[in-house]
Amino acid sequence: MPDSAPAALPLQRHSHRRTHLRQLESEAIYIMREVAAQFERPVLLFSGGKDSIVMVHLAYKAFHPAPFPFPLLHIDTGHNFRETLDYRDWLAKKHGAELLVRTVQASIDAGRVQEEPGPNPSRNSLQTTTLLDALRELKADAAFGGGRRDEEKARAKERFFSHRDVFGQWDPKNQRPELWNLFNGRKNPGEHFRVFPLSNWTEMDVWQYIAEEQIPLPSLYFTHEREVVVRDGVVLAVADCNVVLPGERSETRRVRCRTIGDITCTGLWESTATSVEDIIREVAGARVTERGGRADDRRSDAAMEDRKKQGYF
């Protein structure tokens, strides 16, 4: 395990919490096994964030002692934190998983997408084209995502089995009913499904599960000193892809990531949390959602839903 992935610390185990978490775990494992039974070429979308890390852990538990029967697919924007990439490589090696990486830079070079104009362009929306191209190339008929309904209002509209048409697009007004534990994976050629086993989990559930299972995490989730700049009320990391603009001033602060994505849009939180226990206490007292610091979600009130309709994660 790399230095950037410290082990999580266990909390005191309470029977009611353990029962609740085991119910969520059983539901997620059941969904993963349903996908393995109904689909021929599933992939697990891996971002390096805590939700996708939990997904890999659940996949391991769902199919152990056999390896899980699908590869990890990472869409690399080229604007990732170095710690995320180090952890990704370590985790894939640990599980003996096939790791597939497709890059936004390759999409730009091929003329499939165009870099945003201006300083510090975000590649967050450009990922969609790279992802859809990858799914077509791999002939993937299902793609696991770590989205949860409590994260954001557009994600609250997703089903466990969320249908995408031949263009990779999502229609939130035309979704299949899911009665009890019956999931309809029928599709036409060229269509695929996004599957969200963590739909019913909350941010607190995820952190308590990480504590119970002692899942190692990237160091980004714990407090550390980093050069940052405050832009439009969001604390952002200073990096080669996110330089300080005229009129701005950088400073060093003690921060951590609450959600991890593209450096140019991942807001950092001032924090003193050095353990999973500390993070759980922070989450319990938080009055802003974990995506409240994501600059990409602030572009419009329907930013996430617009991106998801086009094929975003």
Side-chain angles (χ1 to χ4, degrees):
M1 182 174 66
D3 294 339
S4 61
L9 300 178
L11 296 182
Q12 181 181 357
R13 293 171 179 257
H14 299 291
S15 59
H16 68 279
R17 183 173 70 216
R18 192 161 62 243
T19 299
H20 171 65
L21 293 177
R22 293 308 152 217
Q23 288 174 338
L24 291 173
E25 178 189 68
S26 295
E27 179 181 63
I29 286 175
Y30 172 77
I31 291 166
M32 286 188 162
R33 289 172 176 168
E34 274 292 296
V35 169
Q38 292 194 42
F39 297 92
E40 295 182 2
R41 300 176 68 89
V43 297
L44 192 156
L45 303 179
F46 185 78
S47 69
K50 67 184 184 308
D51 299 311
S52 61
I53 291 169
V54 167
M55 291 274 288
V56 172
H57 184 77
L58 290 165
Y60 165 77
K61 296 189 78 169
F63 300 100
H64 183 75
F68 42 83
F70 36 77
L72 308 181
L73 174 59
H74 180 221
I75 305 301
D76 185 352
T77 65
H79 292 172
N80 294 105
F81 290 94
R82 182 69 250 173
E83 296 93 329
T84 300
L85 301 181
D86 290 343
Y87 183 93
R88 175 200 69 186
D89 295 343
W90 169 81
L91 189 66
K93 183 177 180 180
K94 174 190 175 185
H95 288 288
E98 181 182 7
L99 174 62
L100 306 174
V101 180
R102 299 296 183 269
T103 68
V104 171
Q105 185 62 54
S107 298
I108 294 172
D109 294 342
R112 296 283 295 138
V113 293
Q114 186 174 1
E115 192 90 81
E116 287 184 354
N120 299 329
S122 172
R123 292 183 172 181
N124 200 47
S125 63
L126 304 187
Q127 297 179 81
T128 299
T129 297
T130 309
L131 170 62
L132 294 178
D133 286 350
L135 295 177
R136 281 190 289 268
E137 171 203 344
L138 300 169
K139 296 181 172 59
D141 50 5
F144 288 108
R148 309 187 324 268
R149 289 175 178 143
D150 79 317
E151 279 185 278
E152 201 273 340
K153 58 188 178 183
R155 286 183 166 166
K157 299 177 183 180
E158 294 270 21
R159 301 286 197 266
F160 281 107
F161 276 31
S162 192
H163 176 263
R164 297 301 197 266
D165 65 20
V166 293
F167 302 106
Q169 297 177 333
W170 172 59
D171 182 0
K173 296 181 179 179
N174 184 25
Q175 299 193 83
R176 299 175 182 182
E178 290 182 340
L179 305 175
W180 303 285
N181 289 326
L182 300 177
F183 302 107
N184 181 359
R186 294 181 181 178
K187 62 177 184 60
N188 295 316
E191 299 175 345
H192 73 277
F193 279 80
R194 303 289 171 84
V195 182
F196 301 100
L198 303 186
S199 289
N200 287 336
W201 297 51
T202 65
E203 183 185 11
M204 180 63 81
D205 293 330
V206 170
W207 282 112
Q208 289 181 339
Y209 187 74
I210 288 169
E212 290 276 354
E213 296 290 303
Q214 300 184 54
I215 301 173
L217 295 171
S219 59
L220 289 167
Y221 279 112
F222 303 95
T223 186
H224 59 283
E225 289 192 350
R226 186 176 292 271
E227 184 183 5
V228 301
V229 63
V230 179
R231 184 175 298 142
D232 297 327
V234 179
V235 180
L236 297 170
V238 174
D240 291 343
C241 61
N242 192 47
V243 299
V244 179
L245 301 176
E248 294 181 336
R249 179 176 60 87
S250 69
E251 57 186 310
T252 299
R253 294 190 185 183
R254 293 188 61 80
V255 296
R256 75 175 187 89
C257 290
R258 203 169 155 195
T259 178
I260 294 176
D262 192 311
I263 289 176
T264 62
C265 61
T266 297
L268 304 175
W269 301 81
E270 294 194 73
S271 171
T272 59
T274 59
S275 69
V276 175
E277 289 181 295
D278 292 341
I279 291 173
I280 288 174
R281 282 191 284 269
E282 275 193 1
V283 171
R287 293 297 176 265
V288 178
T289 67
E290 64 193 292
R291 293 191 67 92
R294 288 291 292 259
D296 50 327
D297 289 353
R298 298 188 176 195
R299 292 195 172 194
S300 75
D301 290 340
M304 173 63 80
E305 184 160 332
D306 291 341
R307 294 199 304 273
K308 287 181 73 65
K309 287 179 179 178
Q310 295 167 3
Y312 186 76
F313 298 96

